[in-house]
Amino acid sequence: MANSINYARILNCLNCYFTKRLFNTTSNLERLRSEWRRNRAPANTKLGTENITEVRKAYGGFKKWKAVTVKSGKYSLTSQNIDPEELQLVDIAHCTQAYEEKVITLHTYVIVDVNPLKDKINIEKLSLSDSTYIHIKELFDSGKLYAKVTTKPGQVGLCDGYIVEGLELDNLVNKIKNYRSVLK
């Protein structure tokens, strides 16, 4: 008897759902999540001269903070126990489609100004190959390093991440060299 009551409730809920869909009597709060996202424009967070964020509605009545332009973010270097510090964004790495469109999203490689951390960072501890070391040494001497964005600027309103090192940095430098050779 208990199972038949549960099935009856489920069928009743489904009937209400499909009746509302059929006669289009749903309110904005009862829309499906896919319908909610369907016509929304992408965030397209750009590199700018200041941090500008907008608040927008999200599914379920919540709010999201959309970063329109980003100037800085908090970046850390875990191998050398450097806590997240506010660093200025200089440019977007040349190896991705994001560089051509000048859009910052999750997992975008950026170039950050590391002059405030120059005395704390030891380049020898980044575990690089010989060919990559020369490129990174030149970049570090000019006060810049590569970093990866680990937040979603279009949803969180922040552009935080970590400074890239080790094998990931080797792969990134090789990717940038290949990208530049294809452009020539």
Side-chain angles (χ1 to χ4, degrees):
M1 183 75 182
N3 287 340
S4 62
I5 293 173
N6 289 338
Y7 288 126
R9 284 185 181 170
I10 292 171
L11 287 174
N12 188 21
C13 290
L14 288 174
N15 284 338
C16 292
Y17 174 78
F18 287 115
T19 303
K20 288 179 181 178
R21 288 274 162 228
L22 185 62
F23 297 111
N24 200 14
T25 60
T26 59
S27 67
N28 284 343
L29 296 176
E30 295 173 345
R31 289 191 299 180
L32 291 175
R33 188 171 285 206
S34 59
E35 291 173 353
W36 186 269
R37 294 180 184 156
R38 191 170 293 151
N39 296 321
R40 187 173 35 125
N44 290 339
T45 303
K46 304 279 185 178
L47 189 65
T49 57
E50 59 183 308
N51 290 340
I52 300 174
T53 58
E54 293 177 352
V55 178
R56 65 176 177 83
K57 287 192 316 181
Y59 184 78
F62 298 103
K63 294 179 182 177
K64 289 188 179 179
W65 289 263
K66 172 185 170 183
V68 179
T69 61
V70 175
K71 174 186 173 186
S72 62
K74 291 188 177 185
Y75 292 89
S76 63
L77 187 58
T78 54
S79 69
Q80 298 180 22
N81 295 329
I82 297 176
D83 293 331
E85 292 204 24
E86 191 81 17
L87 299 175
Q88 302 293 319
L89 295 173
V90 178
D91 199 4
I92 300 172
H94 295 272
C95 63
T96 60
Q97 182 181 4
Y99 176 73
E100 295 162 4
E101 297 173 0
K102 297 293 183 191
V103 175
I104 298 175
T105 60
L106 177 69
H107 303 305
T108 301
Y109 289 103
V110 294
I111 301 173
V112 294
D113 180 21
V114 291
N115 283 326
L117 300 177
K118 246 187 172 178
D119 55 337
K120 296 180 184 178
I121 296 176
N122 185 359
I123 288 293
E124 284 75 25
K125 290 186 178 178
L126 292 181
S127 64
L128 305 170
S129 64
D130 294 334
S131 61
T132 305
Y133 180 79
I134 296 167
H135 177 76
I136 295 303
K137 182 70 174 159
E138 290 173 3
L139 196 64
F140 184 72
D141 289 340
S142 65
K144 301 170 186 158
L145 276 180
Y146 292 110
K148 187 174 185 177
V149 177
T150 57
T151 58
K152 294 182 176 181
Q155 294 185 7
V156 182
L158 302 172
C159 189
D160 300 339
Y162 62 92
I163 296 173
V164 181
E165 54 189 322
L167 184 61
E168 186 177 7
L169 184 57
D170 284 337
N171 292 338
L172 177 63
V173 170
N174 290 335
K175 194 174 180 182
I176 290 171
K177 286 179 184 175
N178 293 339
Y179 185 80
R180 289 182 181 164
S181 66
V182 168
L183 290 178
K184 290 181 181 178

